[in-house]
Amino acid sequence: MTDAAAPAAQSWKVTLPCTRAEAEAIDGDIAAFAVMDSPPVLMTSEADEEQGLWRLDAYFEGRPSPAAIKLLKTLVPSAAGVKPLVEALPDEDWVTMSQQGLEPVTAGRFHVRNIAADPELPGHVNLLIEAGRAFGTGQHETTAGCLAMLDRMRRVGMHFRNVADIGTGTGLLAFAALNLWSRARAIASDIDPVAVEISADNARANGIGLGDGPGRLALVTAAGGNHPALAGRAPYDLLIANILAGPLIELAPSLCALVEDGGTIVLAGLLDTQADAVIAAYRAQGMRLAERADRGDWPTLRLRKRPSIGWKRPRRINPAARGEAPGFGSI
């Protein structure tokens, strides 16, 4: 997500033909673009069923650079000699447009639908996160990885009473935590006030009560872990952050400061090539890696806070850091 203080950028779409094999290999994965501040949303579709023609659409916030288009073309080698169609989009909800028709996602006990008309899956916790202006619908591997990790934690008997979801996007991971630990108090934050509004709407659609008490979800617009609403409810025994590697590293001191001794942090949004740097940043704050689960190029990390490190005594990686990471939100 972009910094909420910045004006909305013009949205652009880049279209390239591709083969069915290339489309299936992409499958919505944006690993190649993860280092970008605002990665594009990639969608593949069958352009002509009779002729077996497929296409790749990439939705960008802002006009894509030549380097971004060149990187996009590496995903579809069959289009090497084709000039991509690059077009500015009208002032519409382009994330919603790009997410129409997404298939439901099942991760652990959770089944996430993006369209209300899709049937629920019996025997699962069914959540509805309709395509909207914020990310975190469950389609991305990092979000699905977090859902699977939370489910596994509950299955092995872990219990939590005070939960924070940092960079919540659509509220999905906070909803999942409250479904698993129904008497917990939970708070979800995002730098983007639109994401917070959407999370509130999604909470109501999924029967999640809003408020401060047990089994309820509080929502706040916040750029990092030092916001009074987050600090005032600390220490947390479970903190979830599904954002990008850079903000995860920058926020390590402030996030770890919010977690109690023995508490758990679940991190995602990073590539496997970035995992060592993220783990090192959290180890410097007294965390230890308890579990790692990879879905393709995207790992989900579960860390525990060593009892010897008090929750109010973080060590900053950058002495000038303020505990904020402008411009991030849930993947």
Side-chain angles (χ1 to χ4, degrees), residues 43-203:
M43 297 294 297
T44 57
S45 59
E46 192 169 13
D48 189 319
E49 184 175 356
E50 290 186 2
Q51 299 187 43
L53 301 178
W54 287 70
R55 60 186 279 180
L56 166 64
D57 293 311
Y59 295 83
F60 290 83
E61 292 187 35
R63 183 166 189 158
S65 67
I69 295 175
K70 182 178 180 180
L71 182 58
L72 188 68
K73 293 188 73 172
T74 65
L75 302 180
V76 286
S78 65
V82 178
K83 183 178 180 179
L85 175 62
V86 182
E87 55 186 327
L89 296 177
D91 187 16
E92 297 180 22
D93 186 350
W94 67 274
V95 175
T96 297
M97 292 163 51
S98 70
Q99 290 178 346
Q100 294 298 331
L102 291 177
E103 293 295 323
V105 168
T106 302
R109 72 187 68 192
F110 297 103
H111 182 69
V112 183
R113 299 173 296 139
N114 298 117
I115 302 174
D118 286 341
E120 295 187 349
L121 186 63
H124 287 72
V125 175
N126 288 275
L127 297 171
L128 174 63
I129 306 293
E130 292 193 275
R133 295 165 289 171
F135 292 99
T137 63
Q139 290 289 337
H140 195 278
E141 294 292 348
T142 65
T143 309
C146 285
L147 291 171
M149 178 69 76
L150 294 173
D151 176 71
R152 187 159 56 253
M153 290 160 58
R154 181 65 179 86
R155 290 185 187 280
V156 299
M158 296 184 188
H159 292 277
F160 301 101
R161 52 180 173 71
N162 194 17
V163 178
D165 177 15
I166 308 299
T168 191
T170 59
L172 174 58
L173 297 179
F175 305 161
L178 283 174
N179 271 281
L180 295 171
W181 300 284
S182 60
R183 298 302 298 166
R185 297 172 71 237
I187 185 169
S189 70
D190 201 285
I191 192 173
D192 188 345
V194 172
V196 174
E197 294 173 6
I198 290 173
S199 295
D201 292 340
N202 288 337

Side-chain angles (χ1 to χ4, degrees), residues 158 160 237 259-265 282 286-290 302-307:
M158 296 184 188
F160 301 101
D237 51 5
V259 178
E260 69 182 19
D261 288 359
T264 295
I265 293 183
Y282 283 78
M287 307 296 298
R288 66 174 181 84
L289 181 64
R302 177 170 64 86
L303 303 103
R304 293 287 302 276
K305 191 166 191 178
R306 298 181 187 276

